[in-house]
Amino acid sequence: MTEQTLQVEILRYRPETDQDPAFQTYTVPYRDDWVVLDALNHIKDNIDRTLSYRWSCHMAVCGSCGMMINGEPKLSCHAFLRDYYPNKVRVEPLANFPIERDLVAVTDDFMEKLESVKPYVIPQQERAVDEGPHLQTPAQLNAFKQYTMCINCLLCYAACPQYGLTPDFVGPAALALAHRYNLDTRDAGREQRQEIAASNEGVWDCTFVGECSQACPKSVDPAAAIQQTKIASTIDWYKALLNPWGKR
Amino acid sequence: MAKSNKPIVWSLFAGGGMLSAFVTPVLIFVTGLAVPLGLMSLDSLSYDRMLVLAQNPVGKIVLFAVIFLPLWHAAHRLLTTLHDVGLPKGRIAMTACYGAAALGSIAAAVVLLRI
Amino acid sequence: MSRKPYLRKMPKSWWLARRSYTSYMARELSCVFIGAYSLLIVVGLHRLSQGRDEYGAFLDALQSPLSLVFHAAALVFALIHTVSWFSLAPKAMPLQIGEKKLSGGPVVLAHYAVWIVVSAGVLLVARI
């Protein structure tokens, strides 16, 4: 019996020799329990050692193997070959980011934006260790829990045409994480985050395409976070208008 | 970063989108299809009836809301859509879209006050 | 080793690349019809203010094939707007009772219920 095979078309870019990226096709064995990442590992181990890509956990936790698979942003460890077989699989680096090499995207822009929204608890007052834990009820936790699931895989940025059109846009994951800390009862940093989140480059560059939430492998729903931030920021704006002597 | 004034237009966009979602389909159906095609009586939109509606203070407010909010909704969405299809964000597009909505709103107010 | 990151240009026709982007664009284009319809109402009211004959001419114009085609298209896009607006509504209105987050289904259904009542109300008033 001849072995079943599958063709994988990969966008290659070697900065030291290539002017432009170009597709290269590899033939890999087909296994119905393989994901695209397995096929890439097979190529790297057996066919072409020069292929570069990021991966780590192989189980949709680390968030490093995001790629465009047949034009859709997906974790390559989460995309089964059986969903494409016998057709070709086309693999490209995440859309909307510059290409460092082959399937490796340059993600510095996101890292800066993530940092800018202060994605950590900013307490009203520092709490000493002997004051004990800061208690939170399950209901208070559940109000923001979904937004804590973000693994920074950037599929949402690759899915977002507004980020592609306006690279200054703070973008889905960073804004979802800002919202996550704003909703946290232990946090008092909303005003600091609003500097970024409620700016023109913050939620206001979003046109609610909604694809960020569709692409998210962790059901974070950044589109909802952004929408809720728009509403809250609008209420802030009208409050400030009605009460110009208020503290904002 | 500068404080954004987007909430002004965005609240009109959202309010207009909500109102439009509820009333625009049925209004288009009645005024643009059902009555002209004779599915509904021409009396529905008769001169006397419409005049009563447009002369009534509450009717004026309702008519103005149904024009004003969806118009701003449309203007704001048109501006973002123009950007989506490749027009650069800038004063020209912004002035054209919001200016058209402002002129339409003023025209609506003037006409309604005069009737 | 020096870096040379490669920037891909987003094609102007990006919204044709994926079906979800295309339906987003259809939703966005609804604004053209909704805006035009608002302006059409202004024209109608203006004709109304001019007098019986002028308003009658406006009603006649509504029966022209061009007007009918416009309104048919406008109705389709208005419905796209309504359906997409309702389907996204739960994202703006998260519901939580106690510890439990509620699904968006009831929010969407409530919007449809109000829509049916409003539409029936307008039809009823128009008929009387």
Side-chain angles (χ1 to χ4, degrees):
Chain A
M1 206 182 91
T2 54
E3 196 184 38
Q4 289 176 306
T5 59
L6 181 93
Q7 295 212 306
V8 184
E9 225 176 47
I10 299 177
L11 192 66
R12 301 291 313 268
Y13 173 63
R14 284 139 299 189
E16 53 290 323
T17 53
D18 298 350
Q19 268 314 310
D20 297 298
F23 281 103
Q24 188 171 346
T25 305
Y26 300 92
T27 303
V28 300
Y30 170 73
R31 313 249 189 282
D32 66 359
D33 59 349
W34 268 17
V35 291
V36 172
L37 180 58
D38 293 315
L40 296 178
N41 285 339
H42 176 87
I43 295 166
K44 178 97 177 166
D45 292 345
N46 303 293
I47 306 174
D48 187 347
R49 292 189 308 177
T50 66
L51 182 67
S52 296
Y53 52 98
R54 288 194 181 112
W55 73 286
S56 175
C57 76
H58 202 294
M59 50 194 279
V61 171
C62 74
S64 48
C65 72
M67 298 167 194
M68 304 304 287
I69 298 173
N70 283 4
E72 301 277 335
K74 282 189 189 304
L75 296 177
S76 58
C77 69
H78 227 202
F80 280 92
L81 294 184
R82 59 175 181 254
D83 294 334
Y84 305 97
Y85 183 81
N87 298 317
K88 265 193 209 174
V89 179
R90 202 177 70 242
V91 188
E92 298 161 84
L94 282 177
N96 300 335
F97 290 98
I99 308 174
E100 181 75 52
R101 167 186 298 273
D102 295 342
L103 299 172
V104 178
V106 182
T107 58
D108 306 22
D109 179 57
F110 166 71
M111 296 306 166
E112 282 166 26
K113 284 169 177 167
L114 180 65
E115 214 181 323
S116 75
V117 299
K118 307 193 177 182
Y120 37 83
V121 170
I122 301 172
Q124 189 78 54
Q125 269 179 324
E126 277 309 324
R127 209 175 157 83
V129 175
D130 54 17
E131 287 178 82
H134 196 138
L135 296 177
Q136 194 163 53
T137 66
Q140 289 170 332
L141 171 67
N142 284 345
F144 65 83
K145 194 174 177 194
Q146 73 182 90
Y147 303 116
T148 68
M149 302 311 230
C150 177
I151 55 174
N152 300 349
C153 66
L154 306 187
L155 297 193
C156 55
Y157 284 75
C160 175
Q162 295 307 333
Y163 179 60
L165 291 164
T166 312
D168 285 340
F169 176 36
V170 176
L175 290 168
L177 280 161
H179 189 57
R180 171 249 175 276
Y181 286 96
N182 291 343
L183 291 176
D184 194 317
T185 48
R186 299 164 298 181
D187 181 85
R190 177 168 180 268
E191 224 168 292
Q192 295 179 41
R193 287 183 205 103
Q194 283 291 89
E195 289 282 316
I196 304 293
S199 70
N200 283 341
E201 294 74 25
V203 290
W204 302 118
D205 265 339
C206 163
T207 58
F208 212 163
V209 181
E211 281 302 291
C212 51
S213 297
Q214 295 298 319
C216 182
K218 294 292 182 182
S219 304
V220 169
D221 205 351
I226 294 175
Q227 201 59 15
Q228 290 158 32
T229 305
K230 283 181 189 171
I231 294 171
S233 306
T234 301
I235 293 170
D236 286 350
W237 193 91
Y238 279 100
K239 270 189 188 161
L241 184 75
L242 294 174
N243 180 13
W245 301 280
K247 67 173 181 151
R248 282 180 63 80
Chain B
M1 275 185 216
K3 191 167 154 14
S4 177
N5 285 320
K6 291 274 171 87
I8 315 175
V9 276
W10 189 79
S11 52
L12 292 174
F13 163 80
M18 189 63 103
L19 183 65
S20 226
F22 285 120
V23 304
T24 303
V26 70
L27 289 180
I28 291 176
F29 175 72
V30 171
T31 67
L33 294 169
V35 172
L37 287 171
L39 301 172
M40 285 171 83
S41 153
L42 210 57
D43 293 342
S44 302
L45 297 179
S46 73
Y47 177 75
D48 299 307
R49 256 192 118 188
M50 284 300 121
L51 203 61
V52 169
L53 175 68
Q55 284 177 337
N56 179 298
V58 178
K60 282 185 202 291
I61 291 170
V62 170
L63 283 169
F64 186 70
V66 165
I67 295 164
F68 170 77
L69 283 172
L71 195 56
W72 279 90
H73 163 83
H76 180 67
R77 191 168 251 183
L78 184 64
L79 182 62
T80 61
T81 307
L82 290 174
H83 177 246
D84 285 347
V85 295
L87 215 74
K89 268 183 197 169
R91 288 217 173 270
I92 302 172
M94 207 184 223
T95 312
C97 289
Y98 295 149
L103 287 178
S105 310
I106 293 167
V110 169
V111 169
L112 280 169
L113 288 173
R114 273 205 197 146
I115 288 181
Chain C
M1 203 158 56
S2 67
R3 292 176 61 185
K4 198 178 83 183
Y6 184 87
L7 268 167
R8 288 165 288 179
K9 257 205 127 35
M10 193 157 163
K12 287 226 159 103
S13 60
W14 62 268
W15 49 277
L16 291 170
R18 286 166 66 185
R19 194 207 292 250
S20 54
Y21 290 164
T22 311
S23 51
Y24 158 77
M25 201 45 95
R27 177 192 100 186
E28 296 299 282
L29 280 180
S30 67
C31 75
V32 173
F33 292 92
I34 288 172
Y37 182 70
S38 282
L39 294 176
L40 193 77
I41 304 177
V42 179
V43 172
L45 288 171
H46 173 63
R47 302 299 265 166
L48 186 72
S49 73
Q50 288 177 320
R52 191 176 294 273
D53 291 348
E54 286 80 357
Y55 182 68
F58 174 74
L59 286 187
D60 287 345
L62 285 181
Q63 292 178 333
S64 71
L66 190 69
S67 165
L68 291 172
V69 169
F70 165 77
H71 282 94
L75 180 60
V76 170
F77 278 93
L79 288 171
I80 290 174
H81 169 66
T82 298
V83 171
S84 60
W85 194 270
F86 291 173
S87 74
L88 294 175
K91 298 213 186 283
M93 310 171 196
L95 292 181
Q96 183 174 345
I97 294 180
E99 291 176 25
K100 215 174 133 54
K101 280 228 160 191
L102 302 187
S103 79
V107 175
V108 177
L109 283 179
H111 278 79
Y112 275 101
V114 172
W115 184 44
I116 289 169
V117 170
V118 168
S119 301
V122 171
L123 285 174
L124 214 68
V125 170
R127 270 198 172 280
I128 293 166

